[in-house]
């Protein structure tokens, strides 16, 4: 009789555990939420915003870098600031791969991190700083304010060895580009909007010369060719030299829909820009965004939100780095 009672008690206990809501099991891990640091570091987002403004005022190109950071980090398996890690004896930094050519200003992420650490040591992750600096950098460039969740934690390892599996190259086919982003939940209009980030910044000649030499790509607008040849005079440019063409000669410092008008006019610099304007899957959205900046901003905001929430580390996963370029075990 006693054994039956014990069995019945065990069965009830098992049922109670099985029926407990999933939320109860994850009380210590709310995941990504708005204003994650309200209790632990209420000034965090204001500090990041203020630092972004100060740094942008001194160094205009920082905003381009912060915008590019979110693509290169969050699109590669997880939005966990693995991009920021330096190389070690055992692993190559993502910053040093071919896909990351031309990326810079990582030291200013450290500047922001130091400012946050002074207020709240060991609380705010580099992954959240990377995402929020991109959000505030977008605003500095005249783009939309995008409310983004926080609560990410930092990864401990570089993903340089798998980076090319996730980040499409500027010479990839449109099918590859669409497939890569589709894998993380970004649809075709979202991809078209994300590539609108090419509205700002510049393209290094290293990425362009295959369309200029030995013969100019006939797809280029003839009125644009002399300018590009002037900016990129060498068929084999020195990658260490600063030779580049502004992505948008009209509004080079503003995130706007002028990019779409340019690529429809055959002034897209990289092959992916040209393909975006002619591929039947993407062209309708290009034309729609060329006509409506509101539509561009709407789709851009949606795509950035999805990107920023790609497979984050939360709860007790990962760590809160003391320094963004080093995992804590190396600090």
């Amino acid at each position: 009789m006693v054994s039956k009672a014990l069995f019945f008690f065990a069965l009830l206990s098992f049922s109670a555990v099985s029926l407990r809501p999933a939320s109860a099991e994850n009380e210590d891990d709310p995941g990504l939420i708005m204003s994650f640091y309200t209790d632990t570091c209420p000034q965090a987002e204001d500090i990041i915003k203020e630092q972004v403004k100060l740094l942008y005022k001194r160094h205009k190109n920082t905003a381009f870098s912060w915008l590019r950071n979110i693509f290169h980090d969050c699109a590669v398996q997880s939005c966990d600031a693995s991009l920021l890690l330096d190389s070690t004896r055992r692993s190559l930094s993502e910053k040093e791969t071919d896909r990351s050519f031309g990326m810079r200003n990582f030291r200013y992420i450290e500047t922001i991190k130091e400012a946050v650490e002074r207020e709240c040591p060991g609380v705010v992750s580099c992954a959240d700083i990377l995402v929020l600096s991109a959000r505030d950098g977008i605003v500095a460039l005249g783009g939309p304010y995008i409310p983004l969740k926080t609560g990410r934690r930092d990864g401990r390892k570089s993903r340089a060895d798998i980076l090319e599996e996730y980040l499409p190259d500027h010479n990839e086919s449109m099918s590859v580009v669409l497939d890569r982003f589709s894998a993380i939940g970004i649809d075709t209009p979202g991809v078209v909007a994300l590539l609108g980030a090419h509205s700002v910044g510049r393209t290094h000649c290293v990425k362009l010369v295959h369309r200029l030499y030995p013969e100019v790509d006939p797809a280029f607008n003839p009125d644009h060719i002399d300018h590009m040849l002037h900016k990129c005079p060498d068929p084999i440019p020195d990658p260490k030299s600063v030779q580049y063409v502004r992505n948008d000669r009209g509004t080079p410092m503003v995130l706007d829909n002028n990019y779409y008008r340019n690529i429809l006019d055959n002034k897209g610099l990289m092959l992916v820009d040209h393909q975006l304007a002619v591929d039947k899957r993407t062209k309708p959205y290009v034309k729609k965004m060329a006509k409506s900046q509101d539509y561009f901003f709407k789709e851009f905001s949606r795509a950035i939100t999805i990107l920023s929430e790609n497979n984050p580390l939360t709860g007790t996963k990962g760590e809160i780095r003391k320094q963004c370029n080093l995992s804590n075990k190396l600090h």
Side-chain angles (χ1 to χ4, degrees), residues 107-142:
R107 65 187 182 277
Y108 296 129
I109 291 288
E110 295 293 349
T111 301
I112 300 172
K113 173 68 168 173
E114 289 166 7
V116 175
E117 286 291 301
R118 285 193 293 270
E119 183 69 29
C120 311
V123 174
V124 181
S125 69
C126 296
D128 276 339
I129 290 172
L130 182 149
V131 165
L132 295 180
S133 63
R135 178 194 69 184
D136 296 333
I138 288 166
V139 173
L141 292 167

Side-chain angles (χ1 to χ4, degrees), residues 45-50 52-53 63 66 131-141 145-146 148:
E45 295 200 27
D46 287 337
I47 293 170
I48 293 168
K49 187 179 297 182
E50 185 61 27
V52 166
K53 287 180 179 177
W66 293 322
V131 165
L132 295 180
S133 63
R135 178 194 69 184
D136 296 333
I138 288 166
V139 173
L141 292 167
Y145 175 81
I146 308 170
L148 296 178

